Amino acid sequence: MNNSENNTAPAPGAAEPSGFIRQMIARDLASGKHGGRVHTRFPPEPNGYLHIGHAKSICLNFTLAEENGGLCNLRFDDTNPLRESQEYVDAIKDNIRWLGFRWHGEVRYSSSYFEQLYEFARQLVRKGRAYVCALSPEEAREYRGTLTEPGRNSPWREREPEESLDLFARMRAGEFRDGELSLRAKIDMASPNINMRDPILYRIRHADHHQTGSQWCIYPTYDYTHCISDAIENITHSLCTLEFEDHRPLYDWILRYLDIESLRAASDLRDADVAYVLPEQTEFAKLRISYTMMGKRFLRAMVEEGKVDGWDDPRMPTLAGMRRRGYTPASIRNFCEAVGVTRSESLVDIGMLEHAIREDLDRNAPRAMCVTRPLKVVLSNFEAGRVDRLQMPRHPKREELGSREVSLTREIFIEREDFSENPPAGFKRLVAGGEVRLRGAYVIRCDEIVRNAGGGIDELRCSVDFNTLGKRPEGRKVKGVIHWVSASEGKEITVRLYDRLFLGENPAPKSVEEVFDGINPDSLVQLDGCVLEPGALDDAAGDHFQFERTGYFFRDRQAQTGGAAVFNRTISLRDTWKRTEV
Ligand code: ATP
Ligand code: MG
């Protein structure tokens, strides 16, 4: 569907677009508002890594543009040099590309508009809509009033524009200390909306900036910067989360009191033959997921205090962490689409996210066998040196993915838990004297248990029924099928099993201490000495697998453990909360 080409509403009878924002855009296109254009932006602040909540906003902005023949910018909202860095800028760009989205043109930075923003601020001053205030930050807070009491006018509010312009220039020139002066909009100190009580537009901050270096020592506030940046980039639909709802009147106020001609002249489309229309802000609810804490402030604390192994720790809800864990871009996009966009906050069940990744990997991940807690089995009637090269499908439901070769040899490993001396009722796997099928191979019978000095089981001696390859054993039923790996051909690997990082279903922390208290101490279990069928380590096999009966795993090429490859368990095969053992 592409509505933008002919500016018509969906054909009568066509499905109504899902979600209130899609519907709004369809209406705007139908009415010709914004000249029939759709231009969105994703505006991260580079003060941390992106998390799954940001993915919702990314998917929303980029998909709306894509669906409507529009454009989506990536703009770093970089007005706070103290907390921002190039490392975050690079990671954010990388994450967005990984998700599969391409922004329009060059990456944008609010900081590249600093000169224009400064000029627009002078315009507001000249119009008597802004003034330089000398209240200290503490005094300004006191003058602001409260939710129930109006604020009081600053004694500097009626300063002549000429004087403010002079002071503003001297602020820029570095003549004042941090906090000594500020530039404020002149709106209404009695407004019930605190955001409208003469909000600060510029503050003094003697700090270097990752993009502009030491060029500036005054920095514009988010509210002042965002609307003008949108207007410069000819954004049509400025989508943000609900906490900005009360800022919308300020967004509109700033743009309304600037000369529209000067905005147009500063904009990307100044020479284009299109109607110049101001951007409009629309809010939607933030994504929240059970057992998952977002919020960069808290995630940063987890990293800085060493509670996790970096921003890309596979337990983190960051896109970098989820990627290392084995989440695929498709699973995250599908999840965001399934969650939808609403104006009411709700807690999404983490099961939905897990469903999205299972669904993708079930369809696409090739199968392999890996034994995570090995027990040696000697096949006593299988000659030493004999190798049976068995063909097994890479994927049970997708023939086109072909087959893989798996070698059976005299000594193999099976999972310790697939053998039981005291089998509980219903145990279908191997028992003393009993039979089981080796996945894709023969039926074997356990003849003997070999014990070590301590009485523990060292190995099993089993015999092979060579008449059972690809067919049922004669005259008896064998119910169990277990996975196995050749002892001589298998490769030793390390496997990392993850559990939820937070114990609480609804972690809405108030403090860093609360975050740390809620950490699940068993969120990572590392198993060394696992044995994997060797073909899975071929580069051509890819990095995502279903280890049969064990879960979905992803090769972690960044992790180093003395030469053994490391595989992260992305997710178990079924929903088995609190079951870290495999
Ligand atoms: P955090 O609270 O995690 O620090 P933020 O909102 O401060 O997030 P920004 O970099 O300012 O992070 O956000 C970039 C964009 O992503 C904004 O438009 C913001 O509204 C959106 N966003 C942030 N968190 C979520 C979320 N949980 N769900 C949906 N969108 C989000
Ligand atoms: Mg923020």
Side-chain angles (χ1 to χ4, degrees), residues 507-572:
K510 292 184 185 59
S511 66
V512 167
E513 292 68 47
E514 210 178 292
V515 171
F516 292 170
D517 284 348
I519 296 178
N520 175 4
D522 303 319
S523 60
L524 168 61
V525 174
Q526 175 161 320
L527 301 177
D528 295 311
C530 305
V531 190
L532 175 65
E533 61 172 83
L537 289 179
D538 289 349
D539 283 337
D543 290 341
H544 291 280
F545 293 94
Q546 183 194 99
F547 289 168
E548 299 200 46
R549 302 177 61 228
T550 312
Y552 295 101
F553 286 79
F554 180 63
R555 182 160 178 190
D556 188 338
R557 291 181 182 267
Q558 269 160 274
Q560 289 301 330
T561 54
V566 175
F567 283 79
N568 294 324
R569 184 167 68 182
T570 311
I571 188 86
S572 57

Side-chain angles (χ1 to χ4, degrees), residues 283-342:
E283 307 85 20
F284 62 94
K286 270 197 170 177
L287 174 66
R288 291 168 54 236
I289 306 179
S290 60
Y291 299 101
T292 307
M293 193 261 315
M294 296 177 224
K296 276 177 287 194
R297 178 161 90 86
F298 297 126
L299 295 176
R300 192 183 309 110
M302 299 277 293
V303 173
E304 282 171 1
E305 296 299 315
K307 302 290 179 186
V308 289
D309 190 17
W311 284 99
D312 66 348
D313 185 302
R315 291 166 292 181
M316 290 279 270
T318 53
L319 294 178
M322 293 175 73
R323 177 182 186 174
R324 240 184 114 179
R325 172 84 167 251
Y327 273 84
T328 57
S331 67
I332 295 173
R333 291 171 69 153
N334 291 343
F335 167 73
C336 290
E337 185 62 36
V339 166
V341 179
T342 63

Side-chain angles (χ1 to χ4, degrees), residues 41-45 47 51 53-54 56-57 77 239-241 243-244 284-288 294-297:
R41 85 288 169 265
F42 175 65
E45 182 181 359
N47 63 351
H51 52 62
H54 293 115
K56 173 173 172 175
S57 175
D77 166 29
L239 310 176
C240 63
T241 37
E243 73 271 25
F244 293 105
F284 62 94
K286 270 197 170 177
L287 174 66
R288 291 168 54 236
M294 296 177 224
K296 276 177 287 194
R297 178 161 90 86

Side-chain angles (χ1 to χ4, degrees), residues 258-275:
L258 290 171
D259 286 338
I260 189 140
E261 276 313 314
S262 64
L263 283 170
R264 183 194 170 93
S267 81
D268 290 351
L269 292 179
R270 59 188 160 272
D271 299 322
D273 185 23
V274 295

